[in-house]
Amino acid sequence: MYELWKENLLDFNTLLLTTYGELGLNEQEYVFLVLLARLLQTKPGGWTFAEISTHMTIDDANCSLLFISLVERQYISVSSKTDSFGKRFEEYSISPLFEKLERHLKQKKTQSQSSQREEIFKMIEQEFGILSPLDIETIHLWMTEDNFDADLIKLAIQEMNSYQIKSIRYIDKILLDWKKKNIKTVEEAKRQLIAFRQRKQTAATTSTQAPAVDPNFYYDWMNE
């Protein structure tokens, strides 16, 4: 993530705006870091606190205190370097901030996945009651090994209910069929279902021997 920012391939301002509170920063610190990040990209060796304070409601002395606080709390790093002429200088970096960001986002993702898994298990338990160890393992594999999106699993459960069938194997068949067709989102799955039903309806209307087709019929997953 830090390397993407250095290459101007990351919207740092928006990313920090949506996470600064969760990272333990206040609004003043957010503005300071946004301004500092811009200066580190445009003037890495020649910026001053006065340049930052002109865009804030605090003076350069207070900007300096803010900077020290962020260094102490490990959002900014300061390291001593030596140039080609042997002159020492200080190099500033916001890489520690990106490390915090990455850890925070990874933790949020893990928490979200855990919450979604609990929701899926509760939803299926409501459908089937007590699950067997094999059923639990199958559901677990959907969300870990196969990495099916939680909403896609919910749609597969709805498809199963459309047939008034109660079978984990049936849900598994639907999901594996979508995986085989590289369908990864609910939108893609719904488009595939609509296209299938439209083809069936077209075939029915063009054949005089074909029986009438219910426009609300469903996909024959077990015979796919």
Side-chain angles (χ1 to χ4, degrees), residues 87-201:
K87 183 178 179 180
R88 297 181 67 83
F89 66 95
E90 289 186 333
E91 183 177 81
Y92 309 106
S93 172
I94 56 172
S95 61
L97 171 62
F98 279 96
E99 291 172 7
K100 290 179 183 289
L101 269 168
E102 288 181 343
R103 286 196 299 270
H104 174 69
L105 293 175
K106 186 178 294 185
Q107 183 180 20
K108 281 188 68 174
K109 182 179 179 180
T110 300
Q111 291 173 344
S112 176
Q113 289 174 337
S114 178
S115 176
Q116 288 176 341
R117 288 171 187 173
E118 289 180 9
E119 184 182 359
I120 291 298
F121 270 105
K122 287 180 181 179
M123 186 176 181
I124 295 177
E125 284 174 347
Q126 289 175 354
E127 295 286 344
F128 296 97
I130 298 175
L131 300 171
S132 70
L134 180 59
D135 290 340
I136 293 173
E137 178 65 16
T138 298
I139 298 165
H140 178 71
L141 290 175
W142 292 344
M143 295 179 282
T144 55
E145 188 172 299
D146 295 312
N147 291 315
F148 289 123
D149 182 81
D151 289 335
L152 202 62
I153 296 174
K154 292 176 185 177
L155 181 61
I157 294 171
Q158 292 174 13
E159 278 293 301
M160 176 201 69
N161 285 331
S162 297
Y163 284 96
Q164 298 183 339
I165 295 173
K166 297 294 182 182
S167 169
I168 294 290
R169 179 173 174 266
Y170 204 79
I171 301 172
D172 190 53
K173 179 67 175 68
I174 296 171
L175 291 170
L176 290 178
D177 184 78
W178 283 337
K179 183 177 181 179
K180 182 177 67 176
K181 294 174 180 174
N182 200 34
I183 292 172
K184 299 179 180 179
T185 67
V186 169
E187 290 73 21
E188 291 172 342
K190 286 181 176 180
R191 284 198 295 269
Q192 188 257 352
L193 290 171
I194 292 171
F196 170 80
R197 292 165 186 169
Q198 288 177 340
R199 289 197 300 271
K200 284 290 187 179
Q201 290 174 1

Side-chain angles (χ1 to χ4, degrees), residues 27-71:
E27 288 83 356
Q28 195 174 72
E29 291 166 335
Y30 161 72
V31 175
F32 179 89
L33 284 167
V34 166
L35 295 170
L36 176 63
R38 187 180 65 184
L39 288 172
L40 288 177
Q41 283 190 320
T42 58
K43 301 172 63 176
W47 61 273
T48 65
F49 290 119
E51 290 178 276
I52 294 179
S53 67
T54 57
H55 300 285
M56 298 187 67
T57 57
I58 57 176
D59 59 22
D60 54 346
N62 281 303
C63 279
S64 177
L65 292 175
L66 203 59
F67 175 82
I68 293 171
S69 172
L70 291 168
V71 170

